[in-house]
Amino acid sequence: MSRGAAGATHDLSGLPVGRGRLLAAMLVLLALLLVAVVGSAMSGAVRIPLDAMPALLGVASDSVSTSSAAGHPEYRLWEGVLLDIRLPRILLGMLAGAALAVAGAVMQALFRNPLAEPGLVGVSVGGAVGAVGAIVLGYDQQPLVLAGAAFVGSLLATLAAWLLGRRAPGAAGILLAGIAINAFGGALIGVFTYLANDMQLRSLTFWNLGSLATADWAMLSWLAPWTLALMGALLWQWRALNALLLGEREALHLGFGLQRLRARLILLVTLLVGPLVAVTGIIGFVGLVVPHLVRLVAGADHRPLLPLSLLAGALILVLADWVARIVVIPAELPIGIVTSLLGAPVLFMLIQREAR
């Protein structure tokens, strides 16, 4: 990244990216995220009026309006739905969306491949194998066992991809090993699906398509600090990611040890995405599409790209969960279906744009 005479930063393609433009993009994303959070909190099988939200959250300054809302016959229902169900779910969606988008941007730089995403090295399919195996073995009613099996599966799959692919030159070996691990994991999921009974098939299918329904405050109390710390560690790697975009030889000349850098980035992505896959299931397209959309505004420089991807990913997943909950009330769609329906057309438009 360089600095021009007017004080603008430059992306790696040499196009100027003004600070004002980046600040405006961040403010717009924050505003849209706030709107999405409020709309999602209000909407669902139980609709919560907007004017009751301050009282329910304990931030109302007018005692008259507070007592009026508290006197409503459905106040206790609203309070339980908002505080115990919707807010934890919205926060989990923000965390998962932000983490997947940041991890996707990192993986695309690491492999210098615009189609790379967090699941490329086996994180997602490993978690799916672990969770599906636990379901078929009869642990589908034990969330801690299910989440633990998914996390262990994510770690083992990523470790296998790393051990198999690290001896090949460059990142191509890890990429090919990840493809092989994903294919093998898909076969194992097929075997477990064949062995599952009708009750297990329902849990298995819903988990494979993703859901935020498991969110609660106890989960967020450990998942949020973990996720935020690892996202911060990845954001700190922006210089190394910029160097990788220039090429492996150039990155080596700039003083980055490529083998250690790859290991560090893959480990951080695995530790970030693995626990999320364990609690949300597989949520596709967020890590693939969001970084592409953000590059239209921020360019290729990872210093603005990563924080903007964080905000955009949080926004996209909150919106997707909002749609999943209201489109078939009182039931809900798996969130992975919504992200795929939204992400596939966007990806196609981006491909068409690049082809012009």
Side-chain angles (χ1 to χ4, degrees):
M1 184 180 72
S2 62
R3 220 177 273 279
T9 59
H10 291 257
D11 65 21
L12 296 180
S13 65
L15 298 175
V17 181
R19 290 181 179 176
R21 184 181 176 187
L22 295 176
L23 179 60
M26 188 167 290
L27 292 176
V28 168
L29 286 173
L30 284 171
L32 291 174
L33 180 58
L34 178 61
V35 171
V37 166
V38 173
S40 182
M42 292 171 54
S43 306
V46 175
R47 192 180 186 283
I48 301 175
L50 180 61
D51 56 3
M53 298 284 284
L56 292 169
L57 295 172
V59 296
S61 58
D62 187 347
S63 59
V64 175
S65 63
T66 302
S67 59
S68 175
H72 195 282
E74 293 188 342
Y75 180 84
R76 293 300 175 192
L77 174 62
W78 294 342
E79 185 178 44
V81 169
L82 179 65
L83 299 181
D84 296 334
I85 299 175
R86 288 189 187 161
L87 282 184
R89 184 168 180 147
I90 290 169
L91 289 175
L92 178 59
M94 292 170 62
L95 282 175
L100 289 171
V102 169
V106 170
M107 296 296 284
Q108 288 167 14
L110 177 61
F111 292 105
R112 301 184 67 195
N113 187 330
L115 295 179
E117 51 94 25
L120 192 63
V121 292
V123 181
S124 298
V125 77
V129 170
V132 169
I135 290 171
V136 172
L137 292 175
Y139 295 102
D140 49 315
Q141 301 302 318
Q142 300 183 36
L144 289 178
V145 176
L146 194 63
F151 182 47
V152 170
S154 295
L155 291 178
L156 291 178
T158 307
L159 178 62
W162 171 256
L163 292 176
L164 290 172
R166 65 176 180 172
R167 295 186 179 182
I174 302 173
L175 181 63
L176 292 174
I179 293 172
I181 292 295
N182 276 284
F184 182 67
L188 288 179
I189 291 172
V191 172
F192 284 130
T193 302
Y194 179 77
L195 296 175
N197 58 39
D198 291 341
M199 185 70 71
Q200 291 170 342
L201 277 175
R202 183 174 178 81
S203 299
L204 185 155
T205 303
F206 197 78
W207 193 93
N208 271 330
L209 294 174
S211 173
L212 303 180
T214 58
D216 57 42
W217 293 112
M219 174 200 297
L220 289 171
S221 66
W222 64 266
L223 185 62
W226 176 272
T227 303
L228 292 173
L230 287 165
M231 281 196 292
L234 284 174
L235 263 62
W236 192 253
Q237 302 295 318
W238 66 269
R239 291 184 180 86
L241 295 170
N242 280 352
L244 286 173
L245 287 184
L246 297 172
E248 294 185 349
R249 181 176 299 177
E250 288 78 2
L252 190 61
H253 289 162
L254 289 172
F256 294 99
L258 294 182
Q259 198 77 351
R260 293 179 63 184
L261 177 59
R262 288 194 202 101
R264 181 166 69 250
L265 292 176
I266 290 175
L267 178 62
L268 287 173
V269 167
T270 303
L271 292 177
L272 175 63
V273 177
L276 290 169
V277 171
V279 298
T280 66
I282 297 176
I283 299 175
F285 276 95
V286 176
L288 177 61
V289 171
V290 170
H292 284 288
L293 292 174
V294 174
R295 284 191 193 95
L296 298 178
V297 175
D301 182 3
H302 284 82
R303 190 173 192 178
L305 175 64
L306 292 175
L308 287 176
S309 294
L310 184 154
L311 291 174
L315 171 63
I316 292 296
L317 206 56
V318 170
L319 287 173
D321 185 56
W322 185 4
V323 171
R325 289 191 296 105
I326 66 174
V327 71
V328 287
I329 290 176
E332 68 176 69
L333 286 176
I335 195 171
I337 293 177
V338 179
T339 56
S340 297
L341 288 174
L342 295 175
V346 171
L347 185 59
F348 178 73
M349 286 188 293
L350 290 171
I351 293 172
Q352 292 293 103
R353 182 179 182 275
E354 291 297 324
R356 293 195 188 106

